[in-house]
Amino acid sequence: MVVANNSDLTEKSGNAGVNPSSESFLWNLLNQIPDPDIPVVSIVELGLVRGVKIIDKLKAEVTITPSYSGCPAQSVFTDDIKSLLKQNGFNEVEVKVVLSPAWTTDWLSNDTKEKMRLHGIAPPENEPEAEALFCKQNKVKCPRCGNTNTHIISRFGSTPCKALWYCNYCSQPFEYFKCF
Amino acid sequence: MKTKEALINYCLRLADNNLILAQRLAEWCSRGPFLEEDIAMTNISLDLFGQSETLYTYASELMANGKTADDLAFKRNERQYFNNLLVEQPNGDFAFTMVKQFLFSTYAKTLYAQLMESNDAFLKGFASKAIKEVKYHFRHSSEWVIRFGNGTDESMKRAQNAINELWRFTDDMFVMNETDEELISTGITFGADSVYTNWKFTVDDILREANLLLPEDNNVVEGGCNGIHTEHLGHLLCEMQFLQRAHPDAKW
């Protein structure tokens, strides 16, 4: 299994000249699939694609891992993977799911975090252990004004991966992508 | 009992716990005490639905008889569900729901920490994944229990009532049957004794902090892992399975 190497993936599109039977061709294709909930980053950048394999010229196998167990985005991007690879000449596409190693936000590169921030979502920062009770959370920087005068409203937000925060300085609520 | 059959039963037990509690939490959707808490409960519900689907999928692969994860979730009768009695209890008020969640999330967190050492690769991977989600549920519900206990007279009374009412269903989570015997002997699971010790330690700790007491009289009820349930499960299934019974194999 080939594991994502982010430096190979910064070039979007531009598949011309790449050998269509190579795995890097597949990685490039998959890197064009946006995450259904946060379309500014791709499923590859989020670390959701764990491996690709070309079985023979016409058959591809893609290994993915869930972010959160119940995340409805997974079935959407599974369909996206199948249709995109079929459009690109693979007539058989198998999508496998692995649970181990468990998905973690540690896999997000600084570039990916910056894309999130520009989109208005505060990227994950160091957090206390998830089970520590009433633990003061490190101040999250407001993605708009950069101020750290913020407070948490709810640990559960509009999607499983996000919490709801509020910036006291610019008086705006914002979403924070939880450390996981 | 053969190992494979035991493993299927065990996965169903874990999956049923998650499915039934998820269904209960979903009943709060749009009825939460305030918006953020409404979203919190449905988020926890979503995690649990997802965990149950993962487990049903594995169980259906082991069965290899053409049954799908959906068949297992929607097309069994009450006596074929192995969930613990605690999770099927009605929601009651918000304090009741959070006390129930706290007792279960503490259990799930303790159990999954142990299953991370399982020699079944799937269960090991599942536990390592699920424990990350369950820790959030544990923290959320524990903090509420502590707030209720130290809040107003009313919140304390309601939380104490919930403990008094729910405590008798907690022994049921640690009952073992021939499924456990087979899996312990093969190193897939490790039995309920150490899970109980760790669970009780954490529960005592939080209740002490919440100034809540355990009831003295405890009329223990057991039977979940053998398919013997309280009257509430049938009603829950009736609503949850309605669509699949009215329109079998309907697809979204």
Side-chain angles (χ1 to χ4, degrees):
Chain A
M1 187 189 295
V2 181
V3 172
N5 176 352
N6 284 334
S7 62
D8 291 346
L9 302 165
T10 40
E11 282 177 58
K12 286 194 174 183
S13 67
N15 293 319
V18 179
N19 177 2
S21 63
S22 76
E23 282 168 359
S24 62
F25 173 76
L26 267 187
W27 279 112
N28 277 324
L29 277 179
L30 296 172
N31 198 34
Q32 293 166 27
I33 299 177
D35 178 77
D37 285 327
I38 312 167
V40 288
V41 290
S42 78
I43 57 169
V44 172
E45 289 171 312
L46 282 176
L48 300 170
V49 181
R50 304 313 301 156
V52 299
K53 221 192 240 169
I54 295 178
I55 310 284
D56 61 53
K57 273 183 187 169
L58 300 172
K59 187 178 172 190
E61 184 185 286
V62 179
T63 307
I64 60 168
T65 197
S67 52
Y68 286 74
S69 299
C71 185
Q74 189 180 322
S75 64
V76 177
F77 72 72
T78 300
D79 291 345
D80 291 345
I81 291 172
K82 287 180 181 164
S83 65
L84 183 69
L85 296 195
K86 281 182 182 165
Q87 281 164 28
N88 281 272
F90 293 94
N91 52 17
E92 206 179 323
V93 181
E94 195 186 349
V95 179
K96 283 187 170 177
V97 180
V98 290
L99 298 177
S100 184
W103 180 80
T104 165
T105 46
D106 294 348
W107 294 341
L108 270 51
S109 72
N110 288 336
D111 284 353
T112 304
K113 290 181 186 176
E114 183 58 15
K115 282 185 192 173
M116 277 183 190
R117 195 187 63 76
L118 291 171
H119 186 60
I121 300 169
E125 294 176 30
N126 290 332
E127 255 181 67
E129 175 68 15
E131 58 192 314
L133 302 185
F134 296 108
C135 187
K136 276 241 159 55
Q137 169 140 18
N138 299 343
K139 292 289 181 190
V140 170
K141 249 194 215 168
C142 171
R144 294 191 188 84
C145 71
N147 206 293
T148 50
N149 182 10
T150 58
H151 71 269
I152 188 165
I153 297 174
S154 172
R155 273 192 208 104
F156 298 90
S158 61
T159 67
C161 54
K162 287 178 281 183
L164 196 57
W165 280 67
Y166 190 85
C167 176
N168 303 326
Y169 186 75
C170 62
S171 302
Q172 291 293 319
F174 65 88
E175 289 187 304
Y176 164 65
F177 201 93
K178 291 185 270 197
C179 278
F180 195 66
Chain B
M1 186 180 271
K2 294 224 175 72
T3 309
K4 192 170 132 186
E5 190 189 344
L7 186 54
I8 291 168
N9 285 345
Y10 191 75
C11 287
L12 289 177
R13 191 194 298 173
L14 296 179
D16 292 345
N17 268 342
N18 288 319
L19 178 73
I20 301 301
L21 187 55
Q23 177 71 14
R24 280 287 182 227
L25 285 166
E27 291 172 12
W28 274 103
C29 188
S30 81
R31 292 173 170 81
F34 52 94
L35 183 62
E36 287 77 13
E37 197 50 46
D38 198 295
I39 293 170
M41 284 190 281
T42 43
N43 258 272
I44 295 173
S45 173
L46 185 64
D47 283 343
L48 299 179
F49 274 126
Q51 291 174 16
S52 73
E53 189 187 8
T54 307
L55 290 157
Y56 286 134
T57 304
Y58 182 55
S60 68
E61 285 164 11
L62 291 171
M63 287 172 159
N65 60 1
K67 282 212 165 76
T68 65
D70 277 355
D71 292 336
L72 293 173
F74 293 118
K75 294 185 186 166
R76 283 178 297 148
N77 291 324
E78 189 187 357
R79 290 290 297 269
Q80 296 164 314
Y81 281 78
F82 300 135
N83 60 279
N84 294 123
L85 305 178
L86 179 74
V87 298
E88 70 200 35
Q89 299 311 306
N91 284 333
D93 57 23
F94 180 55
F96 198 89
T97 295
M98 276 302 131
V99 167
K100 184 166 43 140
Q101 188 68 42
F102 156 68
L103 294 170
F104 179 76
S105 296
T106 311
Y107 166 74
K109 179 171 88 84
T110 316
L111 176 66
Y112 296 163
Q114 198 189 54
L115 286 180
M116 283 167 71
E117 308 299 322
S118 171
N119 66 17
D120 181 80
F122 167 84
L123 273 186
K124 189 184 166 88
F126 167 78
S128 321
K129 169 103 203 128
I131 198 168
K132 296 176 76 171
E133 292 161 3
V134 165
K135 280 179 180 176
Y136 271 96
H137 311 167
F138 165 75
R139 178 166 67 172
H140 189 72
S141 53
S142 302
E143 289 180 353
W144 271 118
V145 169
I146 293 169
R147 268 188 221 111
F148 290 141
N150 297 296
T152 62
D153 288 348
E154 182 69 19
S155 71
M156 197 273 268
K157 194 180 87 193
R158 288 184 184 224
Q160 186 61 59
N161 283 346
I163 302 272
N164 296 349
E165 179 65 26
L166 290 170
W167 192 251
R168 63 199 170 111
F169 299 112
T170 55
D171 280 7
D172 179 57
M173 297 191 286
F174 307 99
V175 172
M176 293 189 278
N177 60 14
E178 65 273 24
T179 293
D180 299 84
E181 277 168 34
E182 172 64 25
L183 296 182
I184 293 167
S185 72
T186 47
I188 293 173
T189 64
F190 307 94
D193 295 347
S194 73
V195 178
Y196 176 76
T197 309
N198 293 333
W199 172 84
K200 185 69 169 38
F201 180 84
T202 308
V203 167
D204 283 343
D205 197 37
I206 302 286
L207 292 184
R208 201 178 308 115
E209 218 177 311
N211 289 308
L212 296 168
L213 302 168
L214 291 181
E216 282 171 18
D217 294 326
N218 195 24
N219 184 15
V220 173
V221 197
E222 293 175 353
C225 71
N226 294 315
I228 311 293
H229 293 279
T230 60
E231 68 272 31
H232 305 295
L233 181 67
H235 294 278
L236 181 148
L237 294 180
C238 199
E239 186 176 342
M240 188 183 78
Q241 297 181 336
F242 171 78
L243 195 120
Q244 280 296 324
R245 291 197 183 270
H247 306 279
D249 300 324
K251 289 267 180 286
W252 185 247

